[in-house]
């Protein structure tokens, strides 16, 4: 008998910032952020040369939620973010609370965010509301691109979303 982790459980634990009764293991996003910052970054730096001030985070669904959560709560960790089908409606839209805190801090470093959702998803109206809300902030330090990918479902957002997202954040 060996260690057989459950990837879905680990994703929920590491990517979701808040606890919820339906997924009791979730709520470890801050611990995961700390792990990336204090273990992963130094490990990578010990092997490779990289620009510590130019880092990109690319993720989908719960990972997309974590990407945007990281942008708004730990804005110094990365400066380029691609969030495909981010689960931003998690926990009754708690995401907006984090964005509000980010907005209140006028000294956030410059960043780029590209987010997308599949056009056949029922979450398109919520996504468009999120896009409008972020754009209405007129952030001077945050460039945002938002895309609804026509004729695309949830599974299709990774490939095209990552491609379009990387093109934007490195433009």
């Amino acid at each position: 008998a060996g260690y057989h982790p459950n990837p879905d459980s680990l994703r929920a634990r590491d990517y979701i910032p808040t606890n919820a009764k339906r997924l009791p293991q979730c709520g470890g996003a801050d611990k995961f952020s700390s792990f990336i910052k204090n273990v992963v970054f130094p490990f990578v730096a010990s092997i490779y040369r990289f620009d510590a001030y130019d880092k990109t985070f690319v993720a989908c669904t719960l990972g997309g939620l974590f990407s945007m959560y990281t942008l708004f709560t730990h804005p110094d960790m990365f400066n380029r973010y691609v969030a495909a089908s981010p689960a931003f409606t998690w926990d009754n839209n708690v995401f907006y609370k984090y964005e509000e805190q980010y907005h209140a801090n006028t000294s956030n470093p410059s960043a780029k965010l590209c987010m997308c959702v599949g056009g056949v998803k029922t979450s398109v109206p919520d996504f468009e509301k999120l896009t409008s809300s972020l754009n209405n902030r007129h952030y001077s330090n945050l460039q945002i691109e938002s895309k609804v990918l026509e004729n695309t479902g949830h599974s299709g957002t990774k490939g095209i979303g990552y491609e379009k997202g990387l093109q934007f954040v490195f433009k």
Side-chain angles (χ1 to χ4, degrees), residues 39-50:
V39 177
V40 174
F41 287 166
F43 174 75
V44 171
S46 74
I47 299 171
Y48 303 101
R49 286 186 330 179
F50 77 100

Side-chain angles (χ1 to χ4, degrees), residues 97-159:
K97 178 181 88 172
Y98 306 122
E99 187 274 335
E100 183 69 38
Q101 293 167 353
Y102 176 85
H103 180 258
N105 181 2
T106 57
S107 65
N108 291 316
S110 294
K112 290 184 175 185
L113 166 65
C114 183
M115 52 187 189
C116 65
V117 69
V120 298
K121 289 190 62 152
T122 59
S123 62
V124 169
D126 289 330
F127 183 79
E128 290 173 336
K129 179 183 170 191
L130 169 66
T131 297
S132 178
S133 176
L134 293 175
N135 286 334
N136 287 337
R137 295 288 200 185
H138 302 289
Y139 284 110
S140 61
N141 60 335
L142 178 61
Q143 294 178 38
I144 301 167
E145 181 162 289
S146 174
K147 293 187 175 295
V148 174
L149 305 173
E150 297 300 320
N151 302 313
T152 304
H154 179 71
S155 298
T157 59
K158 274 188 190 176

Side-chain angles (χ1 to χ4, degrees), residues 65 68 86-90 93-96 123 126-128 130:
L65 168 66
M68 294 173 74
F88 64 91
T89 59
W90 173 262
N93 294 305
V94 71
F95 168 80
Y96 285 99
S123 62
D126 289 330
F127 183 79
E128 290 173 336
L130 169 66

